[in-house]
Amino acid sequence: MSPRVFVTRLLPPAVMERLARETDLAWNSEDRIATKAEIIAGLRGRDALLCNITDRIDAEILDACPGLKVVANFGVGFNNIDVAAATARQIRVTNTPDVLTDATADMAFTLLLAVARRLGEGERVVRAKQWKGWSPTQMLSADVTGATLGIIGFGRIGRAVACRARAFDMRVIYWNRTRLPEVEAATAGVEYETLDGLLRQVDFVSLHVAYNPETHHLLGEAQFALMKPTAFVINTARGAVIDEKALVRTLQSKRIAGAGLDVFEREPEVEAGLYTLENVVLAPHLGSATIGTRTKMGMIAVDNLLAVCAGELPLNCVNPAVLRRAIG
């Protein structure tokens, strides 16, 4: 008997085709975030939920679906799911790590280059037909090659960003909850610093930490005050890692040079003050948005849910404390 699966939002075609072949599939056919009521209705009689990072999966939803075996999240982060509630109900929660490392690192560097070289501002001038032609002092921007890059969070994505920085001859310093062994740091070409020490030195700082209570507003008024007025902030992690209101005040007063943001504190809402700032590049959460990456993410999510429904251990389980369930 095929596992009964509910998908909260359409996924890339190859993923939906596989689900249609290998599962008893139901899904939210509208390209929007499903409401709580729609998720509960869609989950009736289902074994598995394949959800997105924009879906809030809480105890109320889990209680309404007593036959649920697994919540497979389409994404690396899983702060959208009440993992403790799932664990208490013996429901496995899975995610899709590793596969989006390169795409997200590419996005971080895209934002870094775009804000440093004033690309968004320049494009707006051209589109508005206000460009008067080349000038020796037109839109002079920050140098990237040879600059100092600070990486906050040195997991897979942070390491991939450091690798890209080497192509620009950047000095890379990092802060991580766990410090690397010296030999490993030397091999990676990075130097360790305290968070405050890093912020004081960098020309660019790129955030790559997981979101949790310890990293909520990791960068705020006090941290921005440590940075050089020529420094830039890049965020492809989670929006709430930055205190957005403090960032707006800091940018408005030109206490730092700019920011490149792919994530926001209350997505899809954006802090109003950001819209009017020329020294900010804003992207609509595109970190993993390549065809190959999103398809691989979907396939991993499907692998995870099929494993649980077959009574096997999924490859990517974020709550391993859950005892193996009897299926059948």
Side-chain angles (χ1 to χ4, degrees):
M1 186 175 176
S2 298
R4 296 158 296 185
V5 178
F6 178 68
V7 179
T8 59
R9 198 165 187 174
L10 283 173
L11 298 174
V15 181
M16 296 301 292
E17 289 164 11
R18 181 186 176 193
L19 283 164
R21 286 194 311 270
E22 300 183 33
T23 74
D24 176 352
L25 177 63
W27 69 93
N28 169 29
S29 59
E30 298 187 40
D31 191 18
R32 59 169 175 78
I33 298 171
T35 65
K36 177 180 283 191
E38 287 170 337
I39 293 174
I40 290 173
L43 275 175
R44 287 198 186 102
R46 297 281 146 180
D47 305 303
L49 169 64
L50 201 167
C51 63
N52 288 275
I53 59 172
T54 51
D55 299 314
R56 309 301 302 181
I57 308 303
D58 58 16
E60 183 182 353
I61 289 176
L62 300 177
D63 283 337
C65 311
L68 193 64
K69 298 178 176 73
V70 57
V71 176
N73 210 38
F74 182 80
V76 176
F78 46 88
N79 57 292
N80 57 305
I81 300 168
D82 187 337
V83 176
T87 303
R89 291 157 179 77
Q90 297 290 289
I91 298 169
R92 291 197 181 276
V93 178
T94 68
N95 66 340
T96 61
D98 301 341
V99 69
L100 50 65
T101 296
D102 286 325
T104 306
D106 288 347
M107 188 64 192
F109 240 89
T110 298
L111 289 170
L112 188 155
L113 290 167
V115 71
R117 297 305 306 270
R118 301 173 68 176
L119 184 61
E121 186 180 353
E123 193 203 25
R124 286 189 288 276
V125 168
V126 174
R127 285 186 181 275
K129 300 181 180 180
Q130 294 175 351
W131 185 41
K132 306 301 182 185
W134 183 87
S135 163
T137 57
Q138 176 186 248
M139 287 192 173
L140 298 181
S141 58
D143 290 300
V144 174
T145 299
T148 296
L149 170 65
I151 297 177
I152 297 178
F154 207 68
R156 296 180 185 90
I157 298 172
R159 290 169 191 250
V161 171
C163 182
R164 285 152 177 74
R166 287 200 291 273
F168 289 83
D169 293 326
M170 299 180 88
R171 176 191 174 215
V172 180
I173 57 180
Y174 80 97
W175 175 82
N176 198 57
R177 187 172 54 183
T178 303
R179 184 171 177 174
L180 298 178
E182 289 300 327
V183 173
E184 194 174 337
T187 301
V190 299
E191 309 163 36
Y192 175 80
E193 257 294 355
T194 63
L195 181 58
D196 286 359
L198 178 151
L199 292 171
R200 289 188 179 98
Q201 297 179 56
V202 295
D203 300 301
F204 302 90
V205 60
S206 191
L207 289 153
H208 302 287
V209 293
Y211 179 71
N212 54 52
E214 287 73 36
T215 59
H216 179 76
H217 287 184
L218 184 65
L219 294 192
E221 204 85 50
Q223 290 72 37
F224 295 135
L226 297 174
M227 297 174 67
K228 298 185 290 190
T230 53
F232 297 83
V233 172
I234 310 298
N235 191 12
T236 55
R238 283 289 184 267
V241 171
I242 290 178
D243 180 343
E244 250 174 43
K245 292 184 184 297
L247 177 63
V248 168
R249 291 191 295 269
T250 299
L251 291 165
Q252 287 173 335
S253 61
K254 301 191 186 309
R255 283 179 281 148
I256 64 172
L261 307 174
D262 187 44
V263 289
F264 303 92
E265 197 167 352
R266 295 172 298 280
E267 294 183 17
E269 181 183 340
V270 176
E271 187 66 33
L274 291 170
Y275 288 119
T276 59
L277 292 167
E278 289 289 2
N279 55 343
V280 180
V281 173
L282 306 173
H285 205 145
L286 298 176
S288 64
T290 71
I291 295 169
T293 299
R294 291 277 172 88
T295 299
K296 289 175 185 175
M297 288 169 64
M299 293 302 186
I300 290 172
V302 176
D303 288 343
N304 286 331
L305 71 85
L306 289 177
V308 174
C309 290
E312 301 167 0
L313 295 174
L315 182 63
N316 308 111
C317 185
V318 304
N319 58 343
V322 174
L323 298 174
R324 183 170 176 170
R325 295 181 60 135
I327 307 296

